[in-house]
Structures are given as C-alpha cells and as structure tokens.
Amino acid sequence: MRPERFGALLYHFGTRRLSFLKSPALLTVVSTLREAPSARAACRLAGVTEAELPAYAAALGTLAASQMIWRREDR
C-alpha cells in the first residue's frame, strides 16, 4: 500500500493487480481493519457516517473480491 494525495495505491504481488483507494478516508479504513473489531468499526474510526456506510461496504467488497483484503478467518 502506497499512500497518495488522493488515497492510496494497492498492489497485489500474487495477482499483479493494482487498485486505487480514491479517498483518504478509505485508506484509513483499510489501514485500521487489522486492529478494528469489524469493518464497521474501522469505518467509524475513519469518520465514515451512517449514510456513507453502503458505499464503503461496496468498496471493501470490491477489494475483497480482488484479494486485496480478506476476512481474518480466511487467512
């Protein structure tokens, strides 16, 4: 993960995929997923509002589908 002004670049060395995190808040969410008890908690820590949660859930779902992030029990 490489932080950028717009958010971050993510590179998966196994699949060679490049993903863009298009907001600093999404970078914060992804960065805190490991320590937070849940994705919702990571979103809350990043200041994501209730109205924004569906968009962040969709973004995290896309990252999971591309194997950029994964469930803790899947690792």
Side-chain angles (χ1 to χ4, degrees), residues 16-38:
R16 302 184 72 157
R17 284 191 157 172
L18 181 64
S19 294
F20 296 89
L21 301 183
K22 296 178 182 176
S23 77
L26 185 54
L27 170 60
T28 301
V29 170
V30 171
S31 297
T32 59
L33 281 173
R34 181 172 288 177
E35 292 81 28
S38 67

Side-chain angles (χ1 to χ4, degrees), residues 4-69:
E4 297 286 347
R5 270 188 316 215
F6 58 83
L9 295 172
L10 298 177
Y11 182 74
H12 189 292
F13 288 95
T15 63
R16 302 184 72 157
R17 284 191 157 172
L18 181 64
S19 294
F20 296 89
L21 301 183
K22 296 178 182 176
S23 77
L26 185 54
L27 170 60
T28 301
V29 170
V30 171
S31 297
T32 59
L33 281 173
R34 181 172 288 177
E35 292 81 28
S38 67
R40 183 180 291 268
C43 287
R44 293 282 183 229
L45 289 170
V48 175
T49 67
E50 189 71 31
E52 296 171 317
L53 279 177
Y56 281 79
L60 293 173
T62 299
L63 290 171
S66 65
Q67 301 175 359
M68 291 292 184
I69 62 172

